[in-house]
Amino acid sequence: MGTGELDREAHVPAGPSAETSARTDAHASASTAEGTGGRAAGASPRTLAEALRSRGDEGLAALLRARPDLLSPVPNDLTQLATRAGTRASVVRALERLDRFTLQTAQAVAVAVEPASYGTVLALLGGDDGDPAVEAALPRALGVLREQALIWGDDDRLRLVRTARELLAPSPQHPSATGLGPTVAETTSGMSPGRLQEILGAVGLTSTHDPVSAVAALTSLFTDRERMTALLDTAPPDALAVLDRLVWGPPYGEVTADPAPPVRWLRDHGLLLPTSLRTVVLPREAALHLRGGRAHRETEPVPPEVRVAAEYRPQVVDSTAAGQAHTALATVEELLKGWQTGGPAVLRAGGLSVRDLKRTAAALNVSEEIAAFWIELAYAAGLLASDGEADERFAPTPAYDEWLDLPAPARWTALVTAWLTATRTAGLVGGQDTKGRTLAALGPDLDRGAAPEVRHRVLTLLADLPWGAAPVQDSLLARLRWERPVRTPSPAAPGAPDTPDLRSRIAAWTLTEAELLGLTGRGALCTAARTLLAAPPAPPAPPTPSPADGRGRTEAGPGSAEPAGPSGSPSQSLAASTAAASATGGVVPHSPAELAARAALAAAVIAPMLPEPLDHVLLQADLTAVAPGPLERPLAEALGVLADVESKGGATVYRFTPGSVRRALDAGQAATDVHAFLARHSRTPVPQPLSYLIDDVARKHGHLRIGAASAYVRCDDDALLDEILADRRSHGLRMRRLAPTVLAAQADPATLLDGLRAMGYAPAAESAEGDVLITRADAHRTPHRTPPVPVPDGPPLPDDTLLGAAVKAIRAGDKAATAVRKPAPHTAEGALPRTTPAETLATVQAAALTGSAIWIGYVNADGAASQRVIAPIRVEGGFVTAYDHTADEVRTYPLHRITGVAELAEPA
């Protein structure tokens, strides 16, 4: 095998990292002096715990806010906080929430020699020529890393938390996104001294019998720009081509026992060093020289701009969004109305079958993807659930009836807030889970914890655009990928297809769903949505319509992507919005109470834009009624019984048929009631054909009576019964005459009713007492159900009260843990103090009299041992009441659980 094999990376599976390294980073000496962390004032911190100890309360609160997993449970002191901040799971979670440039900064620190200086990191990110954008953005990135305790130390001694270095530093087990390989020292650690001397001789360096000095000399050569350039000038052109294939990664390549001359020259001169019998690697120092000092091929210090595709007048956006909001309400109501008399069955594995989803999509006249969205939205809002019966089916909940009684704006905000906070993701319906099973609507495994945060962030980015501006979707997705990049183990190959990650797919679905809900109109955020997000509340003056488009629409030009908020309403800058997105820790930054308050304001904004319900229809001579807008609920329900919906849209068309009129009569209405209803609610005269239709159906309705014999038919007109018996279509009902006015049938009453109606008759069912049965479709409801609880992808964001209490407790515990104590007799260093009961009682009583603090060892009822610093207040009845500096509160301890006491060297 020759040089052609060098463009293939040797794949080595990643191994587990040592979890105990975090404790090494976090360890602090027990003799650390309070206030200085055990170091002289102004000295660089020696550990992460010392760095945290030098922070103020605001700094600790910022760390806990950015990494809320560190609060569960609240650490006892700063040493424990530092230990927890260095654990693998916590570090991985923190790294996944960094923006692209901050992550690139951490990767640059990982490839630098530890400890790294600020200048070294700047050079790795900006290269030999420098980059003003990198220089401007680097302080913010390092500030974020410091705030989140991923980096500690002064600017001249920057150190990554050890677990983060293990995750980000290049190694065969963990390829780096930088594409760099190991250093010369790491690669030559197992190389024979003789081979090292051969490399030194080949590159013109003085030989030495000391491997350490040999490695240092070779490293010095590779990091010296002039000497390295001179060495590469002597390389064959084919050898330089090999380096070009490796320089940006992956840095590994395969060779044979007898490689081609270019590869042999590179190997002989140390520019390719062996990592195994068949694998070589380009050393990190040589790769950085070839890259011009840059750790990344493309450094992205500035987030990509969200470009504007088109701009519309705010009034156009709001009216379009209001129309969509009205359609959303009508669609959800139509969906649940269709399921209230017999919804689809629940699959054995849970969820809705594909056939039922298709049937629902056809009934709503939408695609299956959109139908799945409406179904999942109703479920998330608590309007839909399974009934829990033996023959389990989906049906509306009692909350649906309460929702129907709300005004239209309140119904809209109920849907919107449910969508904003729901973790169920309708876009996944029809896809497959990790086991290859199809994901069903209303089924399990549709929760994605990142969904609420992505939705909120997408809408926030839309709010940052000028009023009435619709974004270019690709630019918005690129911005989201910059804010939360997908961490890949190695750089993607040039030209490789881009597979959308989950966050990008959720963002694309969010844009579609926001338009369906009426949060956006023509792709631009509406005023009600801005109110819901607490964005600037007042739109600017409408722009002058373009001469080419009288609707106020203007195509975006090259400079139209710059956010320009209305006068007096500052728009978030790119850096500020990025910082706000990172500060949330992946959680929607609205508490339920705040979201409810914002929803009430949004309802007030959208209320004037929603159409008012009408109390009339327009009857036409072709047996149709036109509703020129939304109807009042009683009118719509009554008309839905009396007529069939023929078409929907801006105006709904109802058609009267014999079957629909008979349906109204079956529901207990008389012909006179129907005539009066139409005359009362029609703005046009009732057409004569419609009056004839009603009277004709009413004249026949109930002439035949059907009851249970198994079933019977009775009629005062025996000639009509003769006609039925003579009709060949009645043979399947197996009827026979019992009396001149009574026929008996072997079919059940429901089948007999349907059969005679299919023959053109209008029979009516009767009870055992002979009374006509009024048949209404009973609205089936589930028992009371609570909406599905969102499944977050991490711990909740702590509020200010919790943060304040946690910081106070950690400070108190750290003060007690770092208090300087007198050596206790018979006590090993770091162990609980041991004294006799008499000595314990005497020391505690003395401390209570003098008001001094002491150090105690304590074992609680669960057998857990701890060390505490207390100031005894009183001692009586076998208990000591004291102020516990560790817990920062007054507590009472049984004396028999105190293992021993010791005095402090100084007052605590």
Side-chain angles (χ1 to χ4, degrees):
M1 300 184 186
T3 59
E5 296 170 327
L6 284 167
D7 57 352
R8 295 186 300 173
E9 180 182 4
H11 175 72
V12 181
S17 173
E19 296 289 344
T20 57
S21 62
R23 186 167 295 278
T24 305
D25 267 338
H27 176 70
S29 173
S31 61
T32 302
E34 179 185 352
T36 65
R39 59 190 176 93
S44 181
R46 297 171 299 177
T47 63
L48 176 59
E50 288 185 4
L52 293 179
R53 198 164 284 123
S54 64
R55 290 191 183 191
D57 289 351
E58 287 297 325
L60 289 179
L63 167 61
L64 298 175
R65 185 181 295 108
R67 298 175 64 178
D69 56 293
L70 302 180
L71 271 175
S72 182
V74 176
N76 292 331
D77 51 40
L78 289 173
T79 300
Q80 190 177 85
L81 175 62
T83 301
R84 195 176 296 171
T87 57
R88 184 181 181 88
S90 182
V91 170
V92 168
R93 181 175 177 81
L95 291 176
E96 288 176 346
R97 279 159 173 70
L98 298 177
D99 62 68
R100 191 182 302 280
F101 182 66
T102 305
L103 183 60
Q104 287 181 332
T105 302
Q107 292 164 348
V109 177
V111 301
V113 178
E114 191 179 44
S117 66
Y118 183 91
T120 300
V121 178
L122 180 61
L124 286 170
L125 292 170
D128 294 342
D129 299 330
D131 187 337
V134 169
E135 293 180 16
L138 183 56
R140 181 199 65 85
L142 286 176
V144 171
L145 292 172
R146 271 203 185 96
E147 178 186 275
Q148 300 193 20
L150 296 172
I151 277 182
W152 55 277
D154 298 333
D155 280 352
D156 58 342
R157 297 183 65 82
L158 296 171
R159 295 179 183 272
L160 266 177
V161 172
R162 183 168 303 185
T163 307
R165 177 171 287 277
E166 291 172 354
L167 291 169
L168 299 178
S171 70
Q173 292 77 24
H174 299 282
S176 169
T178 61
L180 292 169
T183 63
V184 172
E186 293 169 346
T187 311
T188 59
S189 59
M191 188 177 291
S192 66
R195 177 69 184 122
L196 278 174
Q197 301 308 314
E198 291 176 3
I199 295 176
L200 291 182
V203 296
L205 296 176
T206 304
S207 61
T208 172
H209 295 290
D210 180 13
V212 175
S213 59
V215 171
L218 191 60
T219 302
S220 177
L221 169 64
F222 287 169
T223 54
D224 189 311
R225 290 286 190 263
E226 293 184 3
R227 290 194 293 160
M228 188 64 174
T229 302
L231 175 62
L232 292 174
D233 286 343
T234 65
D238 291 342
L240 296 179
V242 173
L243 292 179
D244 288 340
R245 294 202 298 271
L246 299 178
V247 63
W248 291 108
Y252 296 92
E254 293 183 0
V255 295
T256 61
D258 184 21
V263 177
R264 187 181 303 114
W265 188 94
L266 293 172
R267 189 185 63 181
D268 293 342
H269 289 75
L271 292 172
L272 291 180
L273 295 174
T275 58
S276 68
L277 291 177
R278 295 174 54 85
T279 308
V280 292
V281 66
L282 176 64
R284 187 184 307 171
E285 294 86 350
L288 285 173
H289 172 83
L290 294 169
R291 294 179 175 196
R294 300 178 72 93
H296 301 84
R297 174 177 288 192
E298 293 183 3
T299 306
E300 301 181 61
V302 179
E305 227 171 19
V306 180
R307 301 191 306 276
V308 175
E311 291 189 32
Y312 305 91
R313 289 184 294 112
Q315 293 85 346
V316 173
V317 171
D318 285 345
S319 60
T320 304
Q324 287 296 123
H326 169 68
T327 302
L329 297 179
T331 303
V332 172
E333 185 176 345
E334 181 182 0
L335 166 69
L336 297 180
K337 184 184 293 184
W339 284 16
Q340 69 181 358
T341 55
V346 180
L347 294 176
R348 182 178 301 176
L352 192 68
S353 68
V354 174
R355 181 177 57 185
D356 286 327
L357 178 61
K358 290 181 177 179
R359 187 180 294 119
T360 303
L364 297 179
N365 196 26
V366 296
S367 65
E368 293 176 31
E369 293 78 9
I370 302 303
F373 166 69
W374 293 121
I375 292 170
E376 284 291 339
L377 178 63
Y379 179 59
L383 309 179
L384 173 68
S386 61
D387 57 12
E389 301 290 339
D391 180 20
E392 193 172 15
R393 293 183 173 275
F394 291 108
T397 65
Y400 170 62
D401 298 311
E402 300 172 4
W403 180 77
L404 287 177
D405 292 336
L406 295 174
R411 282 187 282 134
W412 178 75
T413 54
L415 295 179
V416 168
T417 53
W419 173 74
L420 272 176
T421 56
T423 54
R424 292 186 63 85
T425 309
L428 296 172
V429 173
Q432 293 185 335
D433 61 10
T434 55
K435 297 182 180 179
R437 297 173 299 193
T438 301
L439 297 172
L442 299 177
D445 303 325
L446 288 183
D447 284 288
R448 296 295 182 271
E453 183 231 342
V454 174
R455 293 187 191 118
H456 191 277
R457 187 59 188 148
V458 168
L459 297 181
T460 302
L461 289 175
L462 294 181
D464 289 339
L465 295 176
W467 283 80
V472 176
Q473 179 170 323
D474 289 344
S475 69
L476 187 141
L477 298 182
R479 173 62 176 273
L480 290 174
R481 284 192 292 268
W482 185 92
E483 292 180 351
R484 192 68 61 80
V486 179
R487 207 160 54 85
T488 54
S490 58
D498 233 3
T499 303
D501 58 287
L502 177 62
R503 289 176 57 85
S504 296
R505 287 187 291 153
I506 293 176
W509 296 330
T510 296
L511 293 173
T512 301
E513 293 165 0
E515 189 77 14
L516 290 173
L517 280 171
L519 289 167
T520 59
R522 302 192 181 185
L525 204 66
C526 71
T527 305
R530 290 178 179 269
T531 304
L532 191 65
L533 297 171
T544 304
S546 169
D549 191 345
R551 296 172 296 173
R553 178 180 184 272
T554 57
E555 295 298 331
S560 63
E562 181 66 30
S567 177
S569 301
S571 178
Q572 279 187 314
S573 66
L574 295 179
S577 60
T578 301
S582 301
T584 63
V587 182
V588 177
H590 280 322
S591 65
E594 183 182 357
L595 191 59
R598 287 285 168 190
L601 295 176
V605 171
I606 201 172
M609 308 175 197
L610 292 176
E612 288 290 335
L614 302 177
D615 62 351
H616 63 274
V617 294
L618 305 176
L619 296 178
Q620 302 185 115
D622 60 349
L623 299 180
T624 60
V626 177
L631 300 178
E632 292 180 348
R633 187 164 312 283
L635 174 58
E637 291 177 351
L639 196 59
V641 174
L642 183 58
D644 298 324
V645 176
E646 187 171 80
S647 66
K648 303 173 187 175
T652 304
V653 177
Y654 295 85
R655 178 165 293 280
F656 298 93
T657 65
S660 68
V661 174
R662 183 175 62 242
R663 185 170 62 232
L665 298 178
D666 286 343
Q669 298 185 47
T672 55
D673 298 330
V674 176
H675 286 300
F677 170 80
L678 295 177
R680 184 167 60 251
H681 292 287
S682 176
R683 287 291 177 88
T684 58
V686 178
Q688 195 175 52
L690 179 57
S691 298
Y692 287 166
L693 173 65
I694 296 170
D695 292 338
D696 185 51
V697 173
R699 188 180 306 110
K700 299 177 181 179
H701 185 265
H703 198 190
L704 296 177
R705 300 292 184 88
I706 294 178
S710 169
Y712 63 83
V713 181
R714 71 180 181 89
C715 180
D716 295 335
D717 186 356
D718 56 351
L720 182 59
L721 296 182
D722 292 337
E723 180 183 335
I724 293 174
L725 284 174
D727 196 323
R728 296 178 58 184
R729 292 175 295 175
S730 69
H731 292 174
L733 301 175
R734 303 177 67 182
M735 293 185 292
R736 63 188 179 88
R737 189 186 295 272
L738 295 181
T741 58
V742 179
L743 297 179
Q746 295 187 14
D748 60 89
T751 303
L752 188 55
L753 273 171
D754 293 339
L756 291 179
R757 285 172 178 171
M759 294 168 61
Y761 299 99
E766 70 178 14
S767 66
E769 291 76 21
D771 299 323
V772 176
L773 290 176
I774 297 175
T775 56
R776 293 189 180 94
D778 293 330
H780 179 53
R781 294 290 182 269
T782 70
H784 284 279
R785 304 285 194 211
T786 56
V789 179
V791 181
D793 63 343
L797 190 69
D799 56 22
D800 292 339
T801 303
L802 176 58
L803 286 176
V807 170
K808 185 178 180 181
I810 294 171
R811 288 282 190 207
D814 196 62
K815 180 180 179 181
T818 58
V820 182
R821 303 144 184 153
K822 288 183 179 180
H826 315 298
T827 302
E829 183 178 355
L832 296 179
R834 295 286 179 181
T835 56
T836 65
E839 291 173 333
T840 299
L841 179 59
T843 306
V844 170
Q845 288 175 334
L849 290 174
T850 60
S852 58
I854 57 175
W855 172 38
I856 69 170
Y858 182 72
V859 179
N860 65 14
D862 296 328
S866 61
Q867 303 178 32
R868 299 176 177 274
V869 175
I870 66 172
I873 300 172
R874 65 176 179 271
V875 182
E876 58 185 12
F879 292 89
V880 54
T881 302
Y883 176 76
D884 189 335
H885 289 276
T886 308
D888 197 22
E889 65 182 8
V890 176
R891 291 184 175 181
T892 300
Y893 299 98
L895 282 170
H896 70 275
R897 294 193 179 277
I898 298 178
T899 64
V901 296
E903 297 179 358
L904 299 180
E906 300 175 352

